């Protein structure tokens, strides 16, 4: 099977170190013990790292989920929300100085002012009325020009030191109409299952260009051949012993 569809992605060694993750970050003005925070980066990021160091737990990866950008959904225009995550470059450099790689959440759609350009240039998947209601516009990854445009935003993040991405949401709102057509002429129905693969491939290509082999991609959804572009996470699980059991089973 892998001779035909591609050998699995081999991550760099740092991927196998301990990871630290939060679902949401706030830049609080006090730390856990009540100490006033006067630092220049997010207080939760600092405290997470300080706590791991205090407990002598080796850490290799720090992962920030959405919301991380501006806008009500925390994902507009790939622009850092510096009220939530002040001085992002300083934060990434500080983590790197401790040999900790920084990962970030992304999705296959755009929000904010980016949507105006994406719509005007026909860079989005069919189904625009549904996207208007959601405020999220899926990129048409069968359009090479749209891919290059979208990759340009990712490139800026990679050049700042982002070492990989969690690729979420590529199976949720993908159109599947037989009478809806994408850039390469196929129907949305034909492309529907392949869409997570095309999304992952686009992120892989720009990550490879900027970072060589020093990156990790973690998609939630995939298709035939996706294994050659990234590893996978098993989706959201319950915070219980059953959730842990399910996660280990599906992984």
């Amino acid at each position: 099977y892998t001779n035909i569809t591609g050998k699995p992605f081999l991550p760099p060694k740092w991927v196998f170190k301990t990871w630290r993750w939060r679902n949401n970050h706030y830049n609080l003005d006090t730390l856990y013990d009540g100490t006033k925070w006067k630092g220049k980066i997010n207080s939760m990021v600092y405290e997470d790292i300080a706590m791991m160091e205090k407990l002598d737990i080796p850490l290799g990866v720090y992962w920030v989920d959405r919301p991380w950008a501006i806008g009500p959904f925390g994902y507009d225009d790939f622009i850092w929300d510096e009220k939530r995550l002040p001085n992002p470059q300083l934060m990434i450099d500080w983590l790197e100085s401790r040999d900790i790689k920084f990962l970030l959440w992304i999705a296959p759609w755009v929000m904010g002012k980016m949507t105006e350009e994406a719509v005007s240039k026909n860079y989005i998947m069919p189904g625009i009325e549904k996207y208007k209601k959601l405020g999220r516009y899926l990129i048409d990854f069968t359009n090479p020009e749209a891919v290059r445009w979208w990759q340009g935003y990712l490139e800026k993040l990679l050049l700042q030191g982002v070492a990989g991405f969690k690729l979420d949401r590529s199976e949720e709102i993908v159109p599947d109409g037989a009478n809806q057509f994408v850039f390469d002429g196929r129907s949305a129905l034909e492309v529907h299952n392949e869409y997570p693969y095309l999304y992952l491939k686009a992120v892989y290509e720009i990550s490879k260009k900027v970072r060589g082999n020093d990156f990790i991609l973690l998609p939630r959804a995939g298709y035939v051949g996706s294994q050659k572009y990234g590893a996978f996470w098993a989706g959201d699980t319950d915070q219980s012993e059953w959730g842990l059991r399910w996660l280990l089973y599906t992984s």
Side-chain angles (χ1 to χ4, degrees), residues 108 138 167-174 192 195-196 199 220-222:
L138 279 175
L167 286 74
D168 211 355
R169 306 296 188 90
S170 60
E171 77 285 5
E172 288 185 355
I173 59 173
V174 182
H192 182 270
Y195 188 81
Y199 166 45
R220 183 170 79 180

Side-chain angles (χ1 to χ4, degrees), residues 96-161:
E96 189 70 39
S97 72
R98 283 162 169 73
D99 200 25
I100 300 169
K101 303 296 183 182
F102 181 81
L103 305 187
L104 204 56
W105 182 99
I106 58 171
W109 24 259
V110 295
M111 302 184 74
K113 294 180 180 179
M114 287 175 68
T115 60
E116 299 173 11
E117 185 175 1
V119 171
S120 68
K121 293 182 176 179
N122 199 27
Y123 286 166
I124 66 170
M125 294 287 282
I128 189 169
E129 293 305 317
K130 177 174 68 174
Y131 302 150
K132 281 182 180 178
K133 293 178 183 178
L134 295 170
R136 314 173 207 164
Y137 293 75
L138 279 175
I139 297 296
D140 182 350
F141 291 108
T142 73
N143 182 341
E145 188 176 319
V147 170
R148 287 191 293 270
W149 173 79
W150 186 74
Q151 285 175 331
Y153 288 90
L154 294 183
E155 185 172 15
K156 293 176 183 177
L157 297 169
L158 290 160
L159 290 171
Q160 282 186 294

Side-chain angles (χ1 to χ4, degrees), residues 16-35:
F16 300 98
K17 296 181 181 179
T18 307
W19 292 36
R20 184 69 171 86
W21 167 86
R22 280 183 184 269
N23 191 54
N24 207 326
H25 284 78
Y26 301 98
N27 190 32
L28 303 178
D29 57 6
T30 58
L31 301 180
Y32 182 77
D33 63 358
T35 302

Side-chain angles (χ1 to χ4, degrees), residues 143-248:
N143 182 341
E145 188 176 319
V147 170
R148 287 191 293 270
W149 173 79
W150 186 74
Q151 285 175 331
Y153 288 90
L154 294 183
E155 185 172 15
K156 293 176 183 177
L157 297 169
L158 290 160
L159 290 171
Q160 282 186 294
V162 175
F165 300 98
K166 170 189 173 183
L167 286 74
D168 211 355
R169 306 296 188 90
S170 60
E171 77 285 5
E172 288 185 355
I173 59 173
V174 182
D176 58 4
N179 295 316
Q180 297 173 304
F181 297 94
V182 299
F183 177 84
D184 70 4
R186 288 181 291 169
S187 70
L189 180 63
E190 292 175 283
V191 177
H192 182 270
N193 285 0
E194 189 185 3
Y195 188 81
Y197 168 89
L198 296 172
Y199 166 45
L200 173 59
K201 181 174 181 285
V203 183
Y204 175 89
E205 287 173 346
I206 190 62
S207 300
K208 183 81 171 176
K209 173 186 173 184
V210 176
R211 296 190 60 92
N213 294 321
D214 190 34
F215 68 94
I216 181 65
L217 304 179
L218 293 169
R220 183 170 79 180
Y223 188 62
V224 174
S226 290
Q227 73 278 355
K228 63 178 176 279
Y229 295 130
F232 284 80
W233 65 288
D236 299 330
T237 58
D238 290 335
Q239 296 180 13
S240 68
E241 66 274 18
W242 297 109
L244 177 61
R245 181 177 180 179
W246 180 85
L247 179 64
L248 294 172

Side-chain angles (χ1 to χ4, degrees), residues 47-64:
E47 191 159 37
D48 286 343
I49 303 306
M51 183 66 74
M52 297 291 277
E53 290 179 352
K54 185 70 173 179
L55 296 173
D56 198 25
I57 300 174
L59 188 66
V61 178
Y62 194 88
W63 167 6
V64 168

